[in-house]
Amino acid sequence: MADYQGMRWFKYDLQIQTPEDARHWKDDDLCLGSPRRPLVDGTHDESEIQEKALIFIYLRYCHALNLEVVGITDHNFSDKIDSRDWFITHLVEQNKAVAQELNRLPLYILPGFEVDIGFHVLCLFKPAKKRSHLRRISQILTKLGLSENQRFKKACPEPLRYNGEMVSLKRLLEIVQNEHEGIVIAAHADQDKGVFSDPRYIGDYQLPDLLAVELTSNPPQAKHIEILSGKNSQWSRPERQPAWIMSSDAKSLKRDKDGNPTANSLGYRYTWIKMSEPSITALRQAFLDSESRIWRPENGCSPVRPSDRQTHPRIRRLHINGLGFLTDQDIVWSPNLNCVIGGRGSGKSTLLECLRLALGKEGSTSGIVAKKLQRLRGVFTPDTEIRVEWEGVPGQIDTLLLRPQSDEHRLVDGGVPDFPTYLRQLPIQFFSQQQLSELTGAEIGGNRLLPLIDAACGADLQALESEERTVRTEIQQLFAAQDQYDTVRENIRRLRQEIAELDRQWQARQDVQQEASAHQYAQQASHFLETLRARVREAADRIRSLAEDLGEALAPLGSESAHWPRAEWFQTLDRNIETLTRSVQQQLEQAASSYETTFLTYTERNSDWPALGQELASAEGRFLEACRERGLQPSDVSRLQEIDRQRQAKRLELAAQEKLETQLDGRVKTLSDRFAALHGAWQRQFELRRKAVDDINSKADGTIRASVSYAADQSTFDAVWNRLSPDRRFRLGKNWEELGNQIFQAFVRHQQNNGCTSPWEWISTLIHGEAESLIECQDLLPDLNQHLNSKVTDWRQARFTRVADFADIELLDVKDGRPLGKVSDPQLSEGQRNTAVLNLLLAQGDGPIVIDQPEDELDSNFIYRDLVPLLRRVKEHRQIILATHSANLPVNGDAELIYALKARGDHGYLRAAGGLDRPAVTQAVLDIMEGSREAFRRRREKYHTNSA
C-alpha cells in the first residue's frame, strides 16, 4: 500500500546553536576541545569531538522532542577550515544511523548560519546529507565577506561586512535566496538585535523578498501585531506582509524538573509548517502562504500536531485494482484539500465515481452522473476490487470492500447490524457540476436547497421527523376513530328508535297478557288430556299386541318327540304350557279393556268433565275477544317473549355503544392536541434549520447569507392544493389556482401574526371567519367550505401534510458585503448561483465533500476571486476532494494533495502526486491543466515573488 504523498505538518526548530558556537553555548560540559581532533600516532582522533558533540545524544534529544526539521544556525557558521572539525559534520554523518536505531525517519538538517547585519538574520540552505553540502555553506559565507579567519575576533562573532561596509539585507537576499536557493529569516525580530528594535530597519523590513521573521512570543506584543498585520503605517509593507515563525534560539540541552526544555534550550519554541517534504522550496512556499501552511503554538501550549486538532471525519485511502482502462491506483488522501487532475480519458472522474460506489452514494445520483456510473460499470472486470478506508472517529478506521461483478459489498474485519443503514449514515456528499446546476436551476423549488440545510441539522432533525411521522400516524388513527365515533352515534340513535318501537309493541301485547296466559294454560291442559288419552290408547294396544305375540310363539312338538326319553313327560309339559299361554292371553285382553274403561271413568265419565270442558272453552273465547278489542291477531301474542328478548338485546347493544361512544369521545377530543403536537414538531424542525442557517452564515465569512422561511415553499402547497381541485367548469374551479395563491401568500406574509402554524389551519380560520380576511377572493370561501366538506378524505390528508420550509441563499459581494442577488431570483448568473450553493455546501457540516469539476460554467476570474478563497477557508475543518481542469483550484487553493493522472494509449496512469512543493507535481500542473500559467502568474502576483 502506498504512503501518503501530500502535504503534512512538520515540526520545525529553525534556530539551533551547537557547541560549535562556543561564545553562546551554555552547557560548559559540552564545550569542544582544542584541538578538536588531536593527532594520535599521526592520525586525527575524532572520538573526543564525537563524544563532545553528543552525536547520538543530541540527535536522540531531537527525536525525543519529535522535531523533524532543524536549522543549525551557529553564529558565523565556524572558524574552522577543515570540515572534519565542524560539529555539524558529525550530526549529518550520524543522522541516519541514529534514526535507524530509534526506528524513526532521519531528521532534515538545514545547514546555515546566523549573522549580524545591524540586526540578526538566519540564512538556511537545503537539507544536508554529506560534507560537500556543508562546505558549500562555508563558501557562501566567505563570499558574503567573512572568510574563516575573519569570522570571530577574540571568540566573538564579527558583523557581516563586505569591503569594510556592513552587508545590506538586500545584498544578503540576492546572494542567499536568488543565487544559492537559500532562505533568509529575520531572527528574534521582537528582541534586541532584531529587525523591530530600531526604526532604521523599516526599509529592510519592507523589502518584498524578506519572506519571514522570527518572534520569541505567541501571542506577540500588541505593537508587533500591528506591524505584522500591516496596521502600523510606518512599518507597513506596500504588498504582502511576511510570515512569522518561532524557534528556540537553542544554546543548551537542559530541561526543567518536569523534563521540559528550559528557556533557549533545544525545542523550547518551535513552529509547525505544512509541506510535502522539507526543502527550501517548500519552506519558501510555506512562508508565502503562511495562513494555510504555518501554525505556531501559543506560549505554554502543549505540543499537539495541528493535524491532531482536526478531528473531522475523512476518507483515508482509496485502492482500486482490476479496472479495464485504469492502472491500479492507491491514494492516501489528505484530510484537507485534494485535487485530482489529468487530461481527457486519464481517469480522474473514474476515481471519484469509484469512491461514490464504494461508499454507497450511488442512490443520490441523477442525470449525467448516473450515465457516468453506467459507463464505469462497463469497464469493471471480474478482478475489479475497490477498497476505501474511512475514519469517522479519530483512530477508528473502517475498510469498505466492493467487488462490483460479484455484488460483494461489505465491511472488512468488522460487522454492522445493517450495512445499508451504515452507508446511508456516512456524512459524505458527492456532487458534480451538473448536480450543482440542478440545485440552482430556473425552476428551483424550496426542496432543492432545503436538504442542504437539513444536512447540517444532523440527528436532531431526524428525531423530529420521526416524531412527526408518529404524530401523523396517530392523527390518521384519530380520524378513523372520529369516523367510528360518528358511526357509533348513528347506531345509538337507531337503537334508541328500535327500542322505543319494541317497547310499544311489547306494551300492546302486555295488555292481553292475562287472557293470553289463561288461554295458554287452558291450551296446555287440553294438550295434556289429549296426550294422556293417546298414551292410554297406545298402552292398551301394546298389551293386546303382546297377547297376540304370545299365541304366535307356541310351537307344538313334532312326531319325533315320541322317541325322546320319557316322551310322555315332554308331551304333558307341552300341553301345560299351551294352557298357560291361553290363560295369559285372556288375562292380557281383559287387562287392556279394563285399562281403557278405567281411564274413561276418570275423564269423560267423571262428573266434573262437563264443567272442565266449558271452562277450557271460555278461556279461549275471552282471549279471542281481547285480541279483537286491541286489533291483534291471536298469533301476535305468541311473539311477546320474542319481542322482549329483542328489546333486552337491543338495550344491551345500546349500552355497549354508549360505552364505546364515551371512549371514542375522549380519543376524538385529543385530535386538536395531536394537531398541536404535529405543528409543534414542524416548528421545532424550522427552529433547528434556522439555527443551522445562523451557523452556516457565521462560517461563511460574509460570502453568502442563507435563509429559511417557515412553511413557505409554494410548490409543496400547490401540489396538495391541486389534489383538492374541484370541477373546473364551475366558479370555484375556474378560480382555484388564484384562490390558492392568495391564501398561501397571505399565510406566508402574516403567519406570525395570525397564530396559525399551517396553511391548512389558516384556511380553516378563514372559512369560519375566525381570522381577518386578507384575500381578494373572500366571496369564494363559502363555496370552498362546501367543497372541502365534500372531500373529507382528501382534506384530512391535506391537513396533516407538511408544507416544506423554503431555503434560499443570497450571494454577497466579498469586498463590501453588498447583496448581489438570491438563488431563487433570476438576476444571478448560473456561475453566481453555483458559487452561492458551493458556499453553502462547504460552510455546513464537517464531513467530506467530493465534487467533480466544480469550475464548469465559471470563468477563471470568478474561480480565482470567489471559489479559491472559499476552498482555502473551508479546507481547514473538512475534507474536500475535487476533480478539476482549472489550475486555479490546486495552485491558488494550495491543495495539500494533487494527484495527477495521464493518459497513454487507452490506459490512465499516475504521473505525480503531492503538493506544489514537489517539482514533478508543479510540472504536471503546467503540462496538464487549463490556464496553469495564468494561475501561477496570479499566485506570483499575490505573493510578489518569482517563485511558483
Side-chain angles (χ1 to χ4, degrees):
M1 301 288 275
D3 293 325
Y4 176 60
Q5 300 181 69
M7 292 195 292
R8 66 180 183 87
W9 293 100
F10 289 85
K11 190 175 183 180
Y12 272 75
D13 188 348
L14 288 177
Q15 188 180 10
I16 295 176
Q17 276 81 49
T18 72
E20 182 77 45
D21 191 346
R23 173 76 176 181
H24 297 91
W25 188 255
K26 295 181 179 180
D27 296 345
D28 295 337
D29 55 332
L30 298 178
C31 289
L32 301 178
S34 181
R36 298 182 179 181
R37 297 178 302 123
L39 285 172
V40 178
D41 297 331
T43 304
H44 289 288
D45 182 5
E46 297 184 350
S47 60
E48 183 179 358
I49 189 174
Q50 288 186 356
E51 181 180 357
K52 290 286 186 179
L54 300 173
I55 297 300
F56 291 93
I57 297 175
Y58 197 99
L59 292 173
R60 284 198 188 96
Y61 192 26
C62 289
H63 286 296
L65 294 170
N66 291 314
L67 289 171
E68 296 162 286
V69 187
V70 293
I72 306 300
T73 56
D74 290 316
H75 287 79
N76 290 355
F77 191 70
S78 175
D79 61 351
K80 304 300 180 185
I81 297 175
D82 193 330
S83 60
R84 299 305 305 171
D85 287 329
W86 297 341
F87 182 84
I88 191 173
T89 298
H90 302 279
L91 289 179
V92 170
E93 289 181 347
Q94 298 299 326
N95 185 19
K96 186 174 182 181
V98 172
Q100 288 177 341
E101 178 188 340
L102 298 175
N103 195 28
R104 295 173 66 96
L105 293 174
L107 295 171
Y108 291 88
I109 299 176
L110 305 185
F113 44 79
E114 182 176 357
V115 291
D116 181 358
I117 60 171
F119 55 90
H120 285 199
V121 294
L122 309 176
C123 299
L124 294 165
F125 300 88
K126 65 181 181 180
K129 297 182 180 179
K130 52 187 178 180
R131 272 195 297 161
S132 62
H133 296 158
L134 303 175
R135 288 195 292 266
R136 175 173 172 266
I137 308 306
S138 183
Q139 292 166 1
I140 293 172
L141 185 54
T142 298
K143 181 178 181 179
L144 285 166
L146 287 179
S147 60
E148 289 87 345
N149 60 0
Q150 297 175 322
R151 295 176 185 175
F152 293 86
K153 185 175 183 180
K154 295 183 180 181
C156 292
E158 287 286 282
L160 184 59
R161 292 178 177 276
Y162 186 80
N163 292 333
E165 294 184 0
M166 187 76 74
V167 174
S168 69
L169 178 61
K170 183 177 181 181
R171 174 172 170 77
L172 189 67
L173 291 169
E174 289 175 353
I175 293 175
V176 172
Q177 292 189 173
N178 297 340
E179 293 184 21
H180 296 284
E181 299 178 343
I183 197 82
V184 174
I185 303 170
H188 42 80
D190 53 348
Q191 299 293 314
D192 290 342
K193 289 293 185 179
V195 70
F196 294 160
S197 64
D198 196 316
R200 290 179 299 167
Y201 306 135
I202 291 177
D204 292 309
Y205 174 77
Q206 292 176 340
L207 291 173
D209 284 343
L210 178 62
L211 304 182
V213 299
E214 179 196 57
L215 272 65
T216 61
S217 180
N218 185 23
Q221 296 180 32
K223 61 182 180 180
H224 299 141
I225 292 177
E226 287 190 353
I227 294 174
L228 291 168
S229 63
K231 294 180 180 179
N232 186 308
S233 58
Q234 280 187 298
W235 286 81
S236 179
R237 290 160 54 135
E239 305 296 345
R240 180 194 56 81
Q241 305 302 314
W244 69 275
I245 64 169
M246 297 178 69
S247 299
S248 66
D249 195 7
K251 301 173 178 65
S252 172
L253 299 182
K254 294 188 182 302
R255 308 188 198 189
D256 61 20
K257 59 183 179 60
D258 297 321
N260 299 316
T262 59
N264 293 110
S265 291
L266 181 65
Y268 177 65
R269 291 182 294 265
Y270 54 88
T271 301
W272 293 101
I273 305 179
K274 186 190 292 184
M275 56 188 58
S276 302
E277 184 177 13
S279 67
I280 294 299
T281 298
L283 195 59
R284 183 180 296 112
Q285 286 192 15
F287 289 162
L288 293 170
D289 207 348
S290 59
E291 288 185 6
S292 175
R293 305 270 198 100
I294 294 178
W295 186 80
R296 302 156 297 267
E298 293 187 358
N299 294 342
C301 181
S302 60
V304 177
R305 189 179 296 271
S307 56
D308 293 340
R309 295 182 296 116
Q310 296 179 330
T311 59
H312 56 265
R314 65 200 63 178
I315 303 167
R316 285 175 53 92
R317 185 190 296 265
L318 169 65
H319 180 78
I320 307 172
N321 65 278
L323 279 181
F325 77 95
L326 184 65
T327 57
D328 294 352
Q329 302 293 316
D330 191 10
I331 311 172
V332 180
W333 301 100
S334 164
N336 306 112
L337 176 60
N338 303 266
C339 289
V340 182
I341 67 173
R344 184 177 180 83
S346 59
K348 58 185 181 300
S349 293
T350 296
L351 292 181
L352 270 55
E353 301 312 330
C354 285
L355 265 180
R356 188 194 293 266
L357 287 173
L359 291 166
K361 301 302 180 181
E362 181 180 4
S364 62
T365 64
S366 62
I368 192 171
V369 178
K371 293 179 180 178
K372 285 184 179 180
L373 289 173
Q374 190 62 34
R375 289 197 298 269
L376 178 61
R377 293 182 181 278
V379 300
F380 289 149
T381 70
D383 298 324
T384 298
E385 180 178 285
I386 306 171
R387 288 178 181 263
V388 175
E389 289 184 6
W390 165 252
E391 186 173 6
V393 177
Q396 180 179 307
I397 301 173
D398 294 333
T399 301
L400 293 86
L401 171 65
L402 172 63
R403 294 192 175 102
Q405 294 295 68
S406 61
D407 291 329
E408 180 183 359
H409 198 187
R410 59 182 175 85
L411 279 181
V412 177
D413 297 330
V416 291
D418 186 353
F419 186 59
T421 299
Y422 169 87
L423 292 176
R424 285 195 299 272
Q425 292 177 339
L426 293 177
I428 306 168
Q429 294 176 288
F430 282 81
F431 291 95
S432 67
Q433 179 58 44
Q434 177 73 15
Q435 288 173 297
L436 294 178
S437 296
E438 289 173 359
L439 287 173
T440 61
E443 300 300 323
I444 186 168
N447 286 339
R448 298 269 189 97
L449 293 179
L450 195 64
L452 306 184
I453 302 294
D454 289 353
C457 299
D460 290 339
L461 184 62
Q462 294 178 8
L464 283 176
E465 289 173 342
S466 176
E467 177 185 337
E468 176 189 350
R469 288 191 294 270
T470 299
V471 176
R472 287 180 58 178
T473 300
E474 292 174 352
I475 290 174
Q476 288 177 300
Q477 293 171 348
L478 288 175
F479 275 138
Q482 187 175 57
D483 290 340
Q484 186 181 8
Y485 178 74
D486 293 340
T487 301
V488 167
R489 288 175 61 85
E490 180 61 32
N491 287 341
I492 289 173
R493 287 192 293 270
R494 175 182 56 78
L495 285 170
R496 286 174 177 169
Q497 176 61 37
E498 290 177 353
I499 290 171
E501 177 61 23
L502 288 172
D503 283 345
R504 189 186 67 78
Q505 294 180 20
W506 185 86
Q507 187 60 48
R509 289 162 177 76
Q510 181 67 21
D511 291 342
V512 297
Q513 185 62 34
Q514 186 175 357
E515 289 80 1
S517 297
H519 176 251
Q520 183 179 8
Y521 293 145
Q523 284 185 322
Q524 290 176 355
S526 298
H527 177 70
F528 172 74
L529 289 173
E530 291 299 326
T531 301
L532 189 60
R533 182 180 290 110
R535 286 168 56 191
V536 169
R537 187 180 300 114
E538 182 180 358
D541 290 342
R542 284 201 302 272
I543 293 171
R544 291 187 179 97
S545 177
L546 178 60
E548 292 176 0
D549 291 343
L550 287 174
E552 292 176 356
L554 290 176
L557 293 174
S559 58
E560 65 272 11
S561 62
H563 302 288
W564 292 356
R566 300 185 70 176
E568 295 175 353
W569 187 88
F570 284 103
Q571 290 174 356
T572 301
L573 175 62
D574 181 57
R575 287 192 295 274
N576 290 337
I577 294 301
E578 182 179 2
T579 300
L580 177 61
T581 300
R582 299 298 181 193
S583 174
V584 171
Q585 282 182 309
Q586 290 177 359
Q587 292 175 7
L588 289 173
E589 288 288 347
Q590 292 173 357
S593 297
S594 174
Y595 186 52
E596 291 176 334
T597 301
T598 303
F599 174 75
L600 291 173
T601 302
Y602 293 156
T603 56
E604 296 175 10
R605 295 175 185 175
N606 188 278
S607 60
D608 293 330
W609 180 258
L612 175 64
Q614 184 178 0
E615 187 173 348
L616 292 175
S618 65
E620 181 175 3
R622 289 195 301 273
F623 170 66
L624 293 175
E625 180 63 23
C627 288
R628 282 194 297 272
E629 290 177 355
R630 293 166 177 79
L632 298 174
Q633 295 296 323
S635 58
D636 289 341
V637 180
S638 63
R639 293 185 60 238
L640 186 64
Q641 291 182 343
E642 179 185 350
I643 291 174
D644 193 44
R645 284 193 300 272
Q646 290 179 3
R647 188 174 63 163
Q648 296 305 323
K650 295 289 184 182
R651 285 175 174 168
L652 289 174
E653 185 179 357
L654 175 62
Q657 290 289 299
E658 288 174 338
K659 180 179 179 180
L660 183 56
E661 178 190 30
T662 301
Q663 295 172 346
L664 291 172
D665 182 62
R667 290 194 63 196
V668 170
K669 286 180 178 178
T670 66
L671 189 59
S672 60
D673 294 336
R674 292 293 82 200
F675 265 111
L678 180 65
H679 299 157
W682 290 350
Q683 289 203 314
R684 292 198 302 279
Q685 290 173 20
F686 170 69
E687 290 302 323
L688 278 178
R689 290 178 175 125
R690 186 161 63 181
K691 289 179 181 178
V693 162
D694 291 342
D695 184 56
I696 289 169
N697 289 337
S698 67
K699 293 178 180 177
D701 291 339
T703 56
I704 60 167
R705 183 163 49 235
S707 63
V708 61
S709 302
Y710 178 76
D713 176 33
Q714 185 155 3
S715 64
T716 311
F717 174 84
D718 288 346
V720 179
W721 181 255
N722 290 333
R723 288 199 295 269
L724 296 168
S725 177
D727 192 326
R728 296 304 179 98
R729 294 174 297 176
F730 300 104
R731 189 171 73 114
L732 181 64
K734 292 177 180 178
N735 294 279
W736 189 250
E737 286 84 0
E738 180 59 27
L739 175 62
N741 185 63
Q742 289 186 21
I743 288 173
F744 181 73
Q745 293 302 326
F747 167 77
V748 171
R749 288 194 306 271
H750 304 282
Q751 57 97 3
Q752 289 186 342
N753 297 326
N754 62 43
C756 293
T757 53
S758 161
W760 319 118
E761 184 184 8
W762 169 243
I763 290 173
S764 295
T765 59
L766 287 176
I767 287 175
H768 297 100
E770 298 172 2
E772 179 184 357
S773 179
L774 300 170
I775 63 173
E776 297 178 3
C777 299
Q778 186 176 357
D779 59 322
L780 291 174
L781 294 179
D783 294 344
L784 175 62
N785 185 34
Q786 183 178 358
H787 172 66
L788 295 180
N789 288 334
S790 70
K791 302 195 73 170
V792 174
T793 300
D794 291 338
W795 175 233
R796 284 178 174 176
Q797 184 74 27
R799 289 179 61 195
F800 58 74
T801 298
R802 173 79 147 111
V803 174
D805 299 335
F806 184 83
D808 207 349
I809 314 171
E810 189 172 34
L811 186 64
L812 307 176
D813 190 295
V814 294
K815 294 181 180 179
D816 56 17
R818 176 175 49 87
L820 300 176
K822 293 184 177 181
V823 170
S824 58
D825 297 334
Q827 64 195 74
L828 289 183
S829 67
E830 182 177 5
Q832 288 175 311
R833 292 198 302 269
N834 289 349
T835 298
V837 171
L838 275 171
N839 269 278
L840 176 63
L841 289 174
L842 294 170
Q844 57 92 10
D846 63 354
I849 182 167
V850 184
I851 310 177
D852 190 359
Q853 297 176 206
E855 72 278 1
D856 285 3
E857 309 301 329
L858 304 178
D859 62 69
S860 60
N861 286 329
F862 200 75
I863 295 170
Y864 179 74
R865 188 182 65 249
D866 295 274
L867 184 53
V868 164
L870 172 63
L871 294 175
R872 290 175 64 88
R873 183 176 67 251
V874 172
K875 70 174 184 172
E876 297 304 318
H877 56 80
R878 76 183 302 184
Q879 185 182 48
I880 305 171
I881 300 176
L882 308 176
T884 179
H885 290 292
S886 172
N888 264 313
L889 299 186
V891 174
N892 291 295
D894 199 36
E896 278 74 10
L897 175 66
I898 299 173
Y899 197 80
L901 295 166
K902 63 178 179 180
R904 188 170 66 228
D906 57 353
H907 275 70
Y909 298 85
L910 172 64
R911 171 172 173 168
L916 283 171
D917 49 8
R918 294 187 187 273
V921 173
T922 301
Q923 191 60 48
V925 172
L926 287 167
D927 293 345
I928 293 173
M929 304 199 74
E930 301 168 0
S932 57
R933 298 195 180 277
E934 174 68 13
F936 279 116
R937 182 188 65 79
R938 283 179 160 167
R939 183 181 179 93
R940 286 194 296 271
E941 288 177 352
K942 177 180 179 181
Y943 299 142
H944 301 281
T945 175
N946 292 326
S947 170

